[in-house]
Amino acid sequence: MTKHFLGDTATLLGRSLRHIARSPDTIITTAIMPIAMMLMFVYVFGGAIKTSSDSYVNYMLPGILLITVASGIAYTAFRLFMDMKGGIFERFQSMPIARSAVLWAHVLTSLVANVISLVVVVLVALLMGFRSSAGVLAWLSVAGILILFTLALTWIAIIPGLSAKTVEGASAFSYPLIFLPFLSSAFVPTDTMPGPVRFFAEHQPVTSIVNAVRDLFSQQPVGTDIWIALAWCGGILVVAYGFAMNTYRRKIS
């Protein structure tokens, strides 16, 4: 059964990746907005923002990486919605394949596409002066956190992709996720914020993830931030997966 599932997922993943290869503009578009934000904040606002880092691009890059992922998963919901409306799911149900393989193929496609976008953003940040003293283990830890964060948001994207009535509705859910880093420690220290905003910023998931990634990049002790970040990502992933699979079962029943 496991072998059947893995084989079906690999086949459907290849199909999705071929679609992306034919339209690389989706990955380019995903990377352009975060890069434009990074250019604007570093070269327009960076001089006026006081942070604990000597280089503002070093300070803000973790938040930009999370925005990159939030932008990318909108395309996951879009691709899934188009498959639903195109009748592909009904065709797959008539074939002897593992039903959950269809969703997992979209999830893994999202992971591959977002990793490419993240690499592009990091390369641009290096050209802008980003430097890190992190070792191999720290970089692997950052990659692990970003992958877990991508999987969590991707399973959230599956839900509107399956249940939205319009293509605009399928992708519009990502807007609050893109905005969330602006109410965190991603761009300015939270101690500069007014009371209620500061409380929200310090107790929402993006702040702990940003702080953990920033400390890993700078080889600083991560403290409890990394465990809080992993707990948030893992918790969101489990809940989103449960809701997504329940929505999928209702759709194909």
Side-chain angles (χ1 to χ4, degrees):
M1 184 68 177
T2 302
K3 184 178 180 181
H4 183 48
F5 165 76
L6 294 176
D8 292 342
T9 302
T11 301
L12 294 172
L13 172 62
R15 166 186 171 269
S16 295
L17 291 177
R18 283 193 295 273
H19 288 175
I20 289 181
R22 295 191 190 106
S23 57
D25 54 302
T26 57
I27 294 178
I28 295 171
T29 304
T30 299
I32 281 178
M33 187 184 72
I35 289 172
M37 285 186 182
M38 189 162 55
L39 289 168
M40 180 178 67
F41 273 91
V42 170
Y43 295 124
V44 178
F45 302 131
I49 299 175
K50 303 301 181 183
T51 67
S52 57
S53 176
D54 293 334
S55 171
Y56 187 57
V57 68
N58 284 10
Y59 184 87
M60 70 174 299
L61 180 60
I64 291 294
L65 295 177
L66 299 195
I67 289 176
T68 303
V69 174
S71 302
I73 57 151
Y75 286 100
T76 301
F78 170 79
R79 287 190 293 266
L80 187 56
F81 176 84
M82 296 305 293
D83 274 358
M84 290 289 294
K85 292 301 179 183
I88 297 295
F89 274 60
E90 288 79 1
R91 199 176 308 167
F92 286 152
Q93 287 180 53
S94 66
M95 301 168 65
I97 64 174
R99 290 188 173 185
S100 59
V102 180
L103 289 188
W104 274 104
H106 278 281
V107 169
L108 294 177
T109 300
S110 171
L111 184 60
V112 172
N114 276 290
V115 165
I116 294 172
S117 297
L118 289 169
V119 169
V120 171
V121 171
V122 170
L123 290 176
V124 173
L126 288 170
L127 293 176
M128 294 173 61
F130 169 72
R131 296 294 180 267
S132 172
S133 57
V136 175
L137 184 59
W139 275 97
L140 290 176
S141 298
V142 169
I145 292 172
L146 292 176
I147 287 172
L148 188 59
F149 181 73
T150 302
L151 288 173
L153 292 198
T154 297
W155 279 106
I156 293 177
I158 294 294
I159 300 170
L162 291 170
S163 58
K165 303 300 182 184
T166 64
V167 65
E168 292 82 8
S171 55
F173 82 98
S174 65
Y175 298 153
L177 299 178
I178 294 172
F179 181 72
L180 202 56
F182 292 96
L183 294 175
S184 74
S185 62
F187 298 102
V188 295
T190 56
D191 57 14
T192 64
M193 301 175 182
V197 178
R198 177 179 179 178
F199 179 83
F200 175 80
E202 291 179 346
H203 295 87
Q204 59 120 322
V206 169
T207 291
S208 58
I209 298 170
V210 164
N211 289 345
V213 171
R214 186 180 290 136
D215 289 340
L216 287 167
F217 276 149
S218 60
Q219 286 289 73
Q220 298 296 317
V222 293
T224 60
D225 278 322
I226 191 168
W227 303 114
I228 296 173
L230 292 174
W232 270 114
C233 290
I236 293 171
L237 174 59
V238 170
V239 173
Y241 175 81
F243 275 104
M245 292 305 296
N246 186 51
T247 303
Y248 181 54
R249 292 188 194 99
R250 291 202 310 269
K251 279 289 182 180
I252 65 175
S253 61

